[in-house]
Amino acid sequence: MSKSMKMGMLGLILVIPSFLLLFVIVVIPIALSFVESLRNEAGGFDLSRYQFLFTDKAMRSNIIFTLKVTVVSCLIVLIVSYSLAVYMRFSSGRLVDLIRKTYMIPIFIPGVIATYGLINLLGNHGWLSRFLLLIGITLPRIIFDEKGIIIANLWFNIPFTAMLLSSALAGIPNSVLESAKDVGAGRLRVFFQIVFPLSYKTFLVAATFVFMGVIGSFTAPFLVGPNAPQMLGVSMEQVFGVFQEREQAAAIAFFTFLLCSVLGYFYIRSMVKDETARS
Amino acid sequence: MSIQLSIRDLSKRYKTGEGVSGISLDVNKGELITLLGPSGCGKTTVLRSIGGFLEPDSGDILIEGRSVVKLPPEKRPTSMVFQGYNLWPHMTIYDNLAFGLKIRKMPKAEIRSAVEEVLRLVRLPGAEKKYPSQLSGGQQQRIAVARSLLLKPAVLLLDEPFSALDAKLRHEMREELREIQTETGLTMVFVTHDQEEALSLSDRIVVMNHGHIEQIAAPQDIYDAPETLYVAEFIGKMNFLKGGAQGDKLVVGRMEFPNAKHLTGEVVVAVRPEDIILEPGTSQAAGLPGTIKQMMILGHYAEVSIDLGDHGIIRAFQPRDKVKELQLGQSVNATFNKVIAYSNN
């Protein structure tokens, strides 16, 4: 056996465990869900479960609600996290030091506890509401509303996203920015033509992570979301657990997977395009 | 010749205590001046202050007679070539080169022809569509130089631009830079810790040490007549011996030299290895008697170490033919063509 063949075999052997893992915990469940989602009430196969997904009024509003909460959460998380990361990278002082030391704290607080904390803080009878009542202000409905889910999403996602973006910005050497200033670029031009393009790959990774995390989230929407409309994760649990409709739940799961795949496709396409251009 | 860059009493102190103080320097139009010194001597501080990347504590910087010390880098008529090339990796070579010209709102057609012209100047025609990662280190540095040249700065600043390149490429780049400088007539301030680079490139060299200027002179003058003991130690190879000043004479062993600096008492005498003549055997006439300790053939010449007893060990460069007459352990008589003396304080 030639040396190159041996190396090829070794490469294959090294790849097999992770491929098998991916196959067993991702590919097979997705395929099974898809097959299950095609099964109709009579036991045959058709697209009736998907038809229901898009024709049922409650289910349609669940999809729209989920997309709305996801997009709004993603936008706010990315804007706040990127602003924080830029501030931490290019500023100095006590406030920056304080932010650097504290912005990761939410990561270390379990989701359920953080969500109950938010209910206690922002609920109708929460202490913020009671405090504001003292000065004559009525707190608008936040908990058991989309606002509650969005705030919880910010709490869960901003620290990790800011950490990802901070490390990307830290990888841009000062001298690269100085050379842009040197040829006459002002602050805004340096940001939009140098800093952002050099960190946009990580920005895309962060956007993908946040999107997938929020669209498939369960804990926060279940605890602080409204009864209707619901996020798809909560709806899926209800269809599966309460209504015992496994096939319909599988159709929701597969649809959620498709939504994530669309973003994944754009992410991979932009990475491949980038690599091809530079190779 | 008009003064293009004038630095007046520039001082900058860092929290660590390092920095520069009282730096004054005039650079003529079309001159290539090199700031030379070891790490931490303050040469980069001076360069970055000229470029606007550091705000000095005091002093003034004038370019073409106008003070620029309060201006940010983007408003200064300077351009800097950095140590690490610093091309923008997400842009093609064309975009890297055109970036500064677009900011200056130059018409597209003019930008295109200017980019083509500068790529020819740096011997990289046709590289427009490539990305920096597709070029070698030397090619990237040429693009970095080209990017600065395109802006036609009043002063081009170069911060150890060739330090990341291998020796052969560094040598080639030096020659190319000199050619470009002659062709464009640009005023250049070059920072390096490599004395060979400074000696081969510069019209004048500024030798710096511990944040101040030791000497400003043409390369040959720096080499032949270092003004301070530090410059004598730093530039080229040098032997140091104890000597004495007696009236208008300097005495080293049995040798006598003119006391041009009118020194008195004990002095330190410096002699270049190539200014030492070795004769086999001992002589009572002149010179210092010694024994050959080591001989290293270094291509077209040899470095010979001689133990002079109380005067210590000195190194002499000898032609290859001469070395054939010499042997390890042999007694020799060393005489000096010329010496430079320094006060022993």
Side-chain angles (χ1 to χ4, degrees):
Chain A
M1 197 184 286
S2 70
K3 197 181 173 189
S4 64
M5 211 168 160
K6 274 183 189 168
M7 290 304 285
M9 290 285 283
L10 182 70
L12 214 60
I13 290 166
L14 289 172
V15 164
I16 282 172
S18 52
F19 178 76
L20 279 178
L21 196 70
L22 193 78
F23 198 75
V24 170
I25 68 169
V26 179
V27 179
I28 292 177
I30 289 171
L32 289 176
S33 292
F34 182 61
V35 171
E36 189 152 18
S37 70
L38 295 176
R39 204 182 291 275
N40 60 25
E41 284 181 7
F45 289 95
D46 59 19
L47 292 170
S48 57
R49 305 290 179 186
Y50 292 95
Q51 197 181 359
F52 177 78
L53 213 57
F54 299 111
T55 51
D56 180 69
K57 202 178 163 191
M59 205 47 99
R60 223 171 37 211
S61 64
N62 284 351
I63 293 172
I64 293 165
F65 179 75
T66 304
L67 286 174
K68 186 180 160 192
V69 168
T70 305
V71 170
V72 172
S73 299
C74 278
L75 283 176
I76 301 176
V77 166
L78 290 169
I79 290 169
V80 173
S81 304
Y82 202 81
S83 307
L84 264 178
V86 167
Y87 184 59
M88 287 191 282
R89 168 68 177 81
F90 299 110
S91 305
S92 55
R94 282 186 181 178
L95 185 61
V96 178
D97 287 342
L98 186 72
I99 293 172
R100 276 200 195 113
K101 283 173 189 159
T102 54
Y103 83 98
M104 298 278 281
I105 287 174
I107 288 180
F108 301 102
I109 297 173
V112 177
I113 293 171
T115 312
Y116 275 112
L118 285 175
I119 294 170
N120 278 328
L121 172 69
L122 303 169
N124 277 354
H125 304 289
W127 63 262
L128 184 64
S129 173
R130 279 179 279 166
F131 174 75
L132 288 175
L133 268 179
L134 289 177
I135 51 173
I137 299 171
T138 310
L139 191 71
R141 188 186 180 90
I142 294 174
I143 300 301
F144 308 124
D145 185 89
E146 62 185 359
K147 290 192 277 297
I149 307 177
I150 291 169
I151 289 172
N153 283 333
L154 302 188
W155 171 271
F156 292 132
N157 289 287
I158 285 174
F160 185 66
T161 312
M163 186 183 75
L164 268 182
L165 294 168
S166 288
S167 62
L169 292 177
I172 303 173
N174 278 339
S175 49
V176 164
L177 310 177
E178 283 177 349
S179 57
K181 282 185 197 164
D182 185 63
V183 299
R187 279 185 179 189
L188 280 179
R189 199 183 285 268
V190 170
F191 178 77
F192 285 110
Q193 297 200 7
I194 308 291
V195 175
F196 189 71
L198 286 178
S199 56
Y200 100 103
K201 267 189 183 180
T202 311
F203 187 84
L204 265 181
V205 174
T208 312
F209 279 4
V210 178
F211 184 88
M212 291 182 181
V214 172
I215 206 165
S217 61
F218 176 76
T219 312
F222 183 72
L223 294 174
V224 297
N227 284 331
Q230 291 170 328
M231 289 283 285
L232 284 177
V234 179
S235 167
M236 204 189 309
E237 191 275 336
Q238 204 169 41
V239 171
F240 184 83
V242 181
F243 306 147
Q244 305 270 312
E245 290 180 14
R246 289 167 58 98
E247 296 81 5
Q248 192 57 52
I252 299 172
F254 192 73
F255 176 67
T256 311
F257 166 75
L258 280 183
L259 285 176
C260 292
S261 303
V262 171
L263 203 76
Y265 166 74
F266 282 115
Y267 167 70
I268 292 167
R269 199 181 73 156
S270 72
M271 293 294 132
V272 171
K273 215 166 129 186
D274 238 35
E275 290 304 316
T276 317
R278 285 173 207 188
S279 61
Chain B
M1 200 176 278
S2 64
I3 291 170
Q4 184 80 344
L5 165 70
S6 186
I7 301 170
R8 293 180 185 165
D9 208 18
L10 185 85
S11 292
K12 172 77 186 173
R13 281 273 153 229
Y14 299 108
K15 284 176 187 170
T16 55
E18 286 185 332
V20 295
S21 60
I23 301 289
S24 292
L25 171 70
D26 285 334
V27 182
N28 295 318
K29 194 174 172 65
E31 190 178 23
L32 197 164
I33 201 158
T34 299
L35 306 181
L36 174 68
S39 297
C41 72
K43 55 191 189 299
T44 300
T45 301
V46 174
L47 196 79
R48 289 177 67 79
S49 299
I50 302 169
F53 299 107
L54 268 182
E55 197 180 332
D57 299 336
S58 62
D60 203 357
I61 297 167
L62 292 96
I63 296 175
E64 293 175 320
R66 199 168 63 100
S67 174
V68 295
V69 82
K70 297 284 177 205
L71 296 179
E74 62 267 28
K75 302 268 188 223
R76 295 195 184 195
T78 56
S79 187
M80 190 181 297
V81 178
F82 296 83
Q83 197 170 355
Y85 324 141
N86 291 340
L87 299 179
W88 303 300
H90 59 293
M91 291 186 194
T92 60
I93 298 305
Y94 179 84
D95 289 333
N96 263 280
L97 294 172
F99 190 72
L101 301 178
K102 283 178 187 164
I103 293 170
R104 284 158 181 76
K105 301 198 186 322
M106 190 187 260
K108 265 188 178 178
E110 281 180 39
I111 293 178
R112 187 155 289 281
S113 66
V115 168
E116 281 173 13
E117 194 185 317
V118 83
L119 281 174
R120 268 197 299 276
L121 186 70
V122 297
R123 298 181 195 171
L124 281 170
E128 288 96 329
K129 287 181 182 166
K130 291 187 174 171
Y131 281 90
S133 58
Q134 294 169 315
L135 301 182
S136 68
Q139 288 172 327
Q140 286 189 46
Q141 194 54 292
R142 276 188 222 163
I143 297 296
V145 172
R147 183 171 64 186
S148 289
L149 290 176
L150 268 174
L151 305 174
K152 297 190 168 61
V155 182
L156 179 62
L157 311 168
L158 300 109
D159 186 8
E160 307 208 29
F162 310 139
S163 61
L165 307 177
D166 63 58
K168 189 168 176 281
L169 198 55
R170 207 157 54 222
H171 190 78
E172 282 174 22
M173 290 294 291
R174 266 182 230 156
E175 284 177 4
E176 280 182 28
L177 184 74
R178 194 71 233 199
E179 277 172 30
I180 289 168
Q181 202 262 340
T182 312
E183 201 169 317
T184 57
L186 262 179
T187 308
M188 295 186 184
V189 180
F190 192 99
V191 157
T192 184
H193 63 268
D194 181 342
Q195 47 173 291
E196 190 189 318
E197 197 162 76
L199 290 168
S200 63
L201 261 180
S202 323
D203 292 317
R204 281 190 300 156
I205 296 174
V206 180
V207 182
M208 294 186 68
N209 180 32
H210 291 310
H212 71 271
I213 293 174
E214 289 273 343
Q215 186 176 359
I216 306 173
Q220 199 60 52
D221 295 335
I222 291 263
Y223 189 82
D224 289 340
E227 274 174 13
T228 65
L229 200 55
Y230 173 80
V231 179
E233 279 176 332
F234 188 69
I235 300 287
K237 288 189 175 175
M238 188 74 97
N239 297 292
F240 296 96
L241 299 97
K242 280 181 189 164
Q246 294 167 9
D248 57 354
K249 284 177 187 165
L250 290 171
V251 180
V252 189
R254 296 191 300 252
M255 287 178 282
E256 287 183 357
F257 300 92
N259 184 6
K261 291 182 185 169
H262 307 293
L263 300 171
T264 53
E266 276 194 7
V267 294
V268 175
V269 172
V271 57
R272 294 271 181 214
E274 62 269 28
D275 289 329
I276 299 171
I277 301 163
L278 297 178
E279 291 298 337
T282 50
S283 164
Q284 294 299 313
L288 294 168
T291 314
I292 293 177
K293 283 281 167 199
Q294 201 174 52
M295 289 197 290
M296 278 193 290
I297 307 294
L298 301 168
H300 62 283
Y301 71 100
E303 187 179 309
V304 182
S305 299
I306 309 115
D307 188 350
L308 295 179
D310 291 346
H311 286 286
I313 293 172
I314 61 167
R315 287 172 304 175
F317 294 155
Q318 299 294 299
R320 283 285 299 275
D321 295 344
K322 184 89 182 170
V323 179
K324 288 174 188 163
E325 300 170 17
L326 304 173
Q327 289 171 3
L328 282 179
Q330 187 181 7
S331 296
V332 289
N333 192 52
T335 51
F336 305 152
N337 275 338
K338 66 176 180 188
V339 297
I340 311 155
Y342 301 94
S343 170
N344 198 19
N345 297 326

